[in-house]
Amino acid sequence: MTLDRRRLMLTAAGAGLIAALPARAAIQTPASTADARLDAVLTRWFEENVDLSPEYATNLGLDRDARAPLAGQLRQVGLRDAEADRARARARWAEIQTVTEEGLSDQAKVSLAVYRFTAEGAARAADIPYGGGIGPYTVTQRSGAYFSVPDFMANQHRVETSADAEAFLSRLSAFARVLDQENERIVADERLGVMLPSFLMDKTLTQLRTLRDTPAADMAMVQALVRKTGEKSLPGDWGARAAAIVDNEVKPALGRQIAVFEAQRPRATEEAGAWKLPQGDLVYALALRAYTTTDYDAETIHQIGVRQVAEIQAEIDTILKGMDMAEGSVGSRIKALSEDPQYLWPNTDEAKVELIESLNQQMAELEPLLPRVFNTLPGAKVQIRRVPPSIELGAPGGYYQAASLDGSRPGAYYINLSNTANWPKWGLPTLTYHEASPGHHFQITVAREAGSLPIYRRIAGNSAYNEGWALYAERVAADDLDVYAGDPLGRIGYLQSYLFRAVRLVVDTGLHHKRWSRDQAIRYMIDECGEPPESAEKEIDRYCVSIGQACSYKLGQTVIAQLRTEAEAKPGFDLKAFHDAVLLNGSVPLKVLEGLMRGTGAA
């Protein structure tokens, strides 16, 4: 998610969506009266979601025709809006509990299981009177309007006509209003005992000030409007108009948000874990359920992580010894490789351009190999881009933005190049397979283009499934496509990626369950998987606000890998057919996936 690839949206087909679908994604007719009733419920939910989130409509390419006014709007996020979201979550859970499996087709039973799971989690989370979205905090070093809107405007808002450009300007004004709505919630949350940790408030303030102090004409979103209107030869001084809105509306609103955090800063503490929050244990348990789509408790997840860290380190140790690197811990030896200048890109703008070009070339070289292991391939292409420098400080290392449904915008994988030392050359290929293909781009695009599924299943996203698939896809590249043949360093990069995700299980539960300090979590990540200190700090800071999400990767991969092991033990195993079975059901909770693959049903 990132539309955040990690955000779960309840979706279904509407009239505007039907027109936007690619030809290969034909609309499915419900198989029975019971199917039609369920489809009507999910369709209504989808329509509500699109109307409530104009950014989501734009991401899907649905801000056209009857929904054209959404192109000039942003989602409302004030206190009343948050309470309305909670009421809606409770109402949806009550409604879907009235739907039974009686008379449903097999695919409709899957849909019911998926959305029952999601609706129940949302309803339970609605009893928490603060936070929402990806964590307990309204604005952080990696979330909030200041963080997402400029990138969204630059890369997702479509400008083909003068009306689209006017909608862009309208959204700029809306940006200022959303900042003020967020302020309402930041202040209200403090009254409930919820504030960002001090070290993250400092990072958030730094990024807010950077955006505020950037000349309007130099902002990527304003430059994007100038470029897009120029490409379409649209008459008008769009850049000057946009800059005036930024200077007169957006920057003062940014200043007001800065003032809110500056007022809170003397009262902020360094405590990082969810345990410090009101109902903190419940908040963390609900986050783990939502992100892992399992019933594992924090202690179980912690022990799974400790065990897997040891297993993966043993495999890496064997390779390192074969390279005459036998001294010291596995983490220290990986760190030595990470710091070796011969494996680093120069930290210059020119080298960063070359780095991005090399990753796009990597994807071009992979594409002809994919039919060896997949029957179904994505139609939409993927581009690899740099995270905008203005948000590099708080942004994750990489993230994926899905292609639009109508094919007008390709998928995009963003990589954070604030410091190229965070990306040794031997680790970059695996990261790219994870984020682009055969990872996130491949899986999300295949699901969106799957004509056998109702549209609400094509667009749904569950973090454990999506992240689990992307991590599993690294294995497909490494083992099934043998991309690291004769390349022990590349193999270490792949295994270090798995080690990194196992470490995440330990540090996330360490922070939020075992009451580790931030420094303790950073040190564990550096020591056990050799993560560069700057990168480790950024990762741990991410886990402090997106609580539980870091556990979705390795748990998801573990489930998919176990399902493959079980399938391989049966006569006539076909890897391509296995991949179809996993991918063409769309993104589902792990419990649902296990039932489908083992033939025990969706529930």
Side-chain angles (χ1 to χ4, degrees):
M1 218 216 341
T2 66
L3 181 78
D4 189 339
R5 68 170 189 254
R6 297 163 178 94
R7 182 189 307 165
L8 181 63
M9 298 295 292
L10 301 176
T11 57
L17 180 56
I18 293 173
L21 288 174
R24 64 188 284 188
I27 297 301
Q28 301 302 301
T29 301
S32 68
T33 302
D35 281 15
R37 284 197 298 267
L38 176 61
D39 187 67
V41 170
L42 299 180
T43 295
R44 175 163 40 80
W45 290 6
F46 168 78
E47 299 288 352
E48 291 173 352
N49 287 337
V50 172
D51 291 336
L52 287 166
S53 182
E55 297 96 318
Y56 188 49
T58 295
N59 176 269
L60 296 176
L62 300 182
D63 56 350
R64 289 293 182 265
D65 303 321
R67 284 198 168 99
L70 293 179
Q73 302 171 19
L74 296 174
R75 183 178 179 89
Q76 301 300 292
V77 299
L79 285 170
R80 286 186 296 178
D81 304 295
E83 190 51 48
D85 287 344
R86 294 184 180 102
R88 188 177 302 107
R90 296 185 187 103
R92 287 182 175 182
W93 173 230
E95 181 177 24
I96 205 164
Q97 287 183 87
T98 68
V99 181
T100 69
E101 288 192 347
E102 184 176 356
L104 292 179
S105 66
D106 289 343
Q107 279 291 4
K109 288 177 182 177
V110 175
S111 298
L112 179 60
V114 169
Y115 291 105
R116 267 188 176 171
F117 182 93
T118 304
E120 180 182 4
R124 292 170 64 184
D127 292 334
I128 305 299
Y130 57 85
I134 62 171
Y137 306 106
T138 300
V139 176
T140 74
Q141 85 282 6
R142 61 183 309 270
S143 66
Y146 87 92
F147 186 89
S148 62
V149 170
D151 180 64
F152 168 79
M153 297 291 286
N155 292 301
Q156 295 194 49
H157 185 102
R158 181 163 43 182
V159 177
E160 297 175 350
T161 67
S162 293
D164 296 336
E166 292 288 354
F168 189 106
L169 299 180
S170 176
R171 270 184 163 156
L172 279 182
S173 292
F175 181 14
R177 294 192 294 274
V178 169
L179 287 164
D180 287 332
Q181 290 175 344
E182 290 175 336
N183 294 343
E184 295 176 11
R185 292 175 62 179
I186 296 168
V187 171
D189 286 350
E190 183 186 0
R191 289 196 293 267
L192 296 172
V194 178
M195 277 195 300
L196 272 178
S198 57
F199 52 90
L200 297 183
M201 201 175 290
D202 290 340
K203 284 191 173 184
T204 303
L205 278 166
T206 296
Q207 294 185 156
L208 281 164
R209 291 169 183 145
T210 298
L211 182 60
R212 180 198 60 187
D213 296 341
T214 300
D218 293 342
M219 290 184 176
M221 59 183 177
V222 175
Q223 292 177 342
L225 177 63
V226 172
R227 183 185 72 254
K228 292 174 182 178
T229 52
E231 290 170 350
K232 297 296 182 180
S233 301
L234 301 178
D237 196 350
W238 301 105
R241 292 177 65 189
I245 294 172
V246 169
D247 286 334
N248 297 327
E249 300 177 39
V250 175
K251 288 194 174 187
L254 288 167
R256 290 190 291 274
Q257 191 156 101
I258 289 167
V260 168
F261 278 120
E262 287 177 337
Q264 285 190 350
R265 179 61 179 82
R267 298 183 294 278
T269 71
E270 293 188 356
E271 293 171 337
W275 54 266
K276 73 169 187 174
L277 300 168
Q279 305 180 70
D281 290 345
L282 175 60
V283 168
Y284 189 45
L286 290 174
L288 289 177
R289 180 189 184 276
Y291 281 123
T292 71
T293 62
T294 70
D295 291 327
Y296 292 150
D297 62 25
E299 185 61 31
T300 300
I301 293 172
H302 189 85
Q303 295 307 321
I304 291 172
V306 170
R307 183 173 65 252
Q308 292 194 359
V309 166
E311 292 170 351
I312 299 167
Q313 284 179 339
E315 189 171 354
I316 295 174
D317 180 56
T318 299
I319 299 175
L320 289 171
K321 286 177 177 175
M323 297 169 58
D324 294 325
M325 293 183 68
E327 299 299 322
S329 69
V330 167
S332 66
R333 282 176 279 168
I334 291 175
K335 186 172 183 291
L337 285 174
S338 298
E339 295 172 348
D340 190 327
Q342 68 177 310
Y343 303 129
L344 299 180
W345 289 89
N347 198 34
T348 64
D349 287 338
E350 295 77 12
K352 291 172 183 179
V353 170
E354 186 180 351
L355 186 157
I356 293 293
E357 290 175 349
S358 74
L359 299 184
N360 280 298
Q361 180 61 31
Q362 176 187 330
M363 282 295 95
E365 293 171 355
L366 177 76
E367 191 167 354
L369 305 181
L370 294 173
R372 296 183 190 174
V373 291
F374 294 106
N375 286 320
T376 306
L377 302 174
K381 302 300 182 183
V382 63
Q383 296 177 354
I384 301 173
R385 305 169 182 167
R386 180 180 176 182
V387 169
S390 62
I391 62 170
E392 285 177 336
L393 180 64
Y399 57 89
Y400 172 71
Q401 172 188 292
S404 62
L405 287 173
D406 62 2
S408 63
R409 186 189 69 249
Y413 148 45
Y414 289 82
I415 181 170
N416 191 327
L417 297 181
S418 59
N419 185 355
T420 55
N422 292 328
W423 303 117
K425 293 179 180 180
W426 48 264
L428 275 169
T430 291
L431 177 71
T432 306
Y433 296 132
H434 178 105
E435 296 288 351
S437 190
H440 284 308
H441 172 74
F442 190 103
Q443 174 261 311
I444 291 171
T445 304
V446 165
R448 286 191 169 195
E449 296 172 350
S452 61
L453 293 179
I455 190 61
Y456 44 82
R457 291 264 303 285
R458 296 177 208 160
I459 302 175
N462 289 270
S463 188
Y465 176 97
N466 287 17
E467 300 298 353
W469 171 267
L471 198 55
Y472 166 80
E474 296 175 19
R475 168 192 170 182
V476 172
D479 293 344
D480 299 322
L481 297 177
D482 203 18
V483 295
Y484 303 120
D487 180 12
L489 276 174
R491 182 79 183 177
I492 288 175
Y494 154 62
L495 290 172
Q496 195 269 349
S497 172
Y498 269 45
L499 176 60
F500 175 60
R501 274 38 178 251
V503 163
R504 278 178 164 176
L505 299 178
V506 179
V507 295
D508 195 272
T509 52
L511 282 166
H512 301 298
H513 170 61
K514 291 185 172 293
R515 302 195 174 197
W516 285 12
S517 69
R518 175 195 188 222
D519 288 344
Q520 184 178 357
I522 291 172
R523 176 48 53 192
Y524 183 90
M525 179 165 276
I526 293 170
D527 289 347
E528 299 303 324
C529 66
E531 191 73 4
E534 178 185 328
S535 179
E537 176 185 313
K538 191 172 295 185
E539 285 294 322
I540 296 304
D541 287 351
R542 167 184 167 184
Y543 313 153
C544 291
V545 295
S546 298
I547 63 174
Q549 195 272 335
C551 296
S552 58
Y553 299 72
K554 200 63 178 68
L555 288 180
Q557 176 271 330
T558 299
V559 168
I560 294 173
Q562 178 58 36
L563 292 171
R564 173 166 168 174
T565 298
E566 293 172 10
E568 287 174 331
K570 299 176 182 177
F573 172 75
D574 183 326
L575 182 58
K576 292 183 179 182
F578 172 81
H579 287 156
D580 275 348
V582 174
L583 289 166
L584 296 182
N585 277 301
S587 179
V588 299
L590 295 181
K591 281 189 169 185
V592 175
L593 180 65
E594 288 174 312
L596 290 170
M597 299 300 289
R598 291 170 178 154
T600 58

